[in-house]
Structure formats: structure tokens, C-alpha cells
Amino acid sequence: MNDIKAQDLINQLVNEYSQDMAAKNQQIALLKIENNQLRKKVKNNEQGTRVHR
């Protein structure tokens, strides 16, 4: 009986860890997208300032 409870606990912890990692990976992906958008914005701003000089 104790083995089953221990396995259930392990399974629950693994599931929670997996969900946490999935959420972190999603957050990383969103930050990468935002970073790329900001890089493009900076690049466009730099090109715009070159034209005005």
C-alpha cells in the first residue's frame, strides 16, 4: 500500500514539474519573440536616424 502512495506522490511531483517547465518554456518563447520585435524596432530606428543625418 505504501508503495502505491509513494508512486502516486512521485507521479504528482513529476506532473507538477513538467507543467512548471512547460510554463517556463512558453515564457521563454514569448520573451524571445518580444526580444526579436525589439531588435527589429531598434534596427528600424537606426536606419531612420541614418536617413535624417
Side-chain angles (χ1 to χ4, degrees):
M1 190 70 177
N2 283 342
D3 288 343
I4 295 172
K5 288 183 180 178
Q7 190 61 50
D8 287 343
L9 181 59
I10 290 168
N11 290 341
Q12 182 182 348
L13 290 171
V14 168
N15 286 338
E16 289 175 7
Y17 176 80
S18 296
Q19 290 173 2
D20 188 47
M21 289 305 294
K24 283 180 170 59
N25 286 335
Q26 185 179 24
Q27 188 177 19
I28 289 168
L30 291 172
L31 288 169
K32 285 182 177 180
I33 291 169
E34 184 180 3
N35 190 38
N36 286 336
Q37 290 171 339
L38 289 171
R39 285 178 188 265
K40 286 179 185 175
K41 198 172 190 178
V42 167
K43 187 175 178 182
N44 288 339
N45 284 342
E46 287 174 352
Q47 288 174 349
T49 53
R50 283 194 202 115
V51 169
H52 292 299
R53 288 182 183 173

